[in-house]
Amino acid sequence: MIKITSFGSGSSGNCYLIDDGSSQLLIECGVRFELVKQKMRFNLSKVAGMLITHEHGDHSKEINKVLKTSAIEIYASKGTIDALKVPSFRSNTMKNKVPYKIGTWTVTPFDIKHDVTEPFGFLIDNQVGERLLFLTDTKYSEYYFEGITHMMVEANYSIESLVQRMQS
Ligand SMILES: [Zn+2]
């Protein structure tokens, strides 16, 4: 059973932890890393890696803290890794739609629509058949995903268009 912890969400900063009981993944580092570590009781031993969707500050601003104060390896697109200047010995460059084994997880990145070089969403499978979709900052998704058991979506909305829809 996937356990999801949110350390922060929205434009002030995003950071999440997913845990399947065997290994953990951190997703994004837009929340003060000291705080994240504190909330994890300074136990990072089960963290298999950190996924980053793109280089906007609310998803990545603590990257240097993560690099300096932990041994966690970063997984992201080449565009994101270059933009964040993650050194090669700490980074794993992901290619679009190629699955990667990270701890007990299999993570498949896919392209999304956002105003940066190479933003990704993630489809995350574990070994007991659970499948989590992580989707953020995208105008829309052109993909259809089968067998999703968990979904984490950050979305903005326009109150005007919602009201218009309700009235029509
Ligand atoms: Zn963004």
Side-chain angles (χ1 to χ4, degrees), residues 45-129:
S45 62
K46 278 165 71 183
V47 179
M50 172 181 273
L51 313 176
I52 301 180
T53 57
H54 68 291
E55 63 266 37
H56 281 158
D58 53 333
H59 299 262
S60 71
K61 62 175 176 275
E62 289 288 297
I63 184 68
N64 288 328
K65 273 274 156 53
V66 174
L67 293 172
K68 275 188 194 135
T69 68
S70 81
I72 296 169
E73 291 195 21
I74 309 301
Y75 291 79
S77 70
K78 183 171 187 330
T80 301
I81 281 170
D82 287 353
L84 294 175
K85 300 187 173 71
V86 182
S88 56
F89 69 98
R90 292 290 294 277
S91 61
N92 298 271
T93 304
M94 301 176 106
K95 292 207 174 88
N96 196 11
K97 294 175 198 148
V98 175
Y100 294 84
K101 281 223 159 287
I102 312 172
T104 49
W105 310 86
T106 302
V107 181
T108 310
F110 57 90
D111 55 295
I112 61 159
K113 311 287 176 204
H114 193 35
D115 59 345
V116 288
T117 324
E118 203 182 347
F120 276 160
F122 298 112
L123 195 59
I124 305 172
D125 291 289
N126 69 8
Q127 293 175 340
V128 296

Side-chain angles (χ1 to χ4, degrees), residues 18-25 40 43-49 105:
I18 61 171
D19 187 337
D20 67 1
S22 301
S23 72
Q24 301 172 328
L25 290 178
M40 292 174 69
N43 183 4
L44 303 180
S45 62
K46 278 165 71 183
V47 179
W105 310 86

Side-chain angles (χ1 to χ4, degrees), residues 14 28 53-54 59 112 114 120-121 134-138 152-155:
N14 296 272
E28 317 285 45
T53 57
H54 68 291
H59 299 262
I112 61 159
H114 193 35
F120 276 160
F134 187 88
L135 196 59
T136 185
D137 287 38
T138 189
M152 296 169 72
V153 177
E154 191 213 15

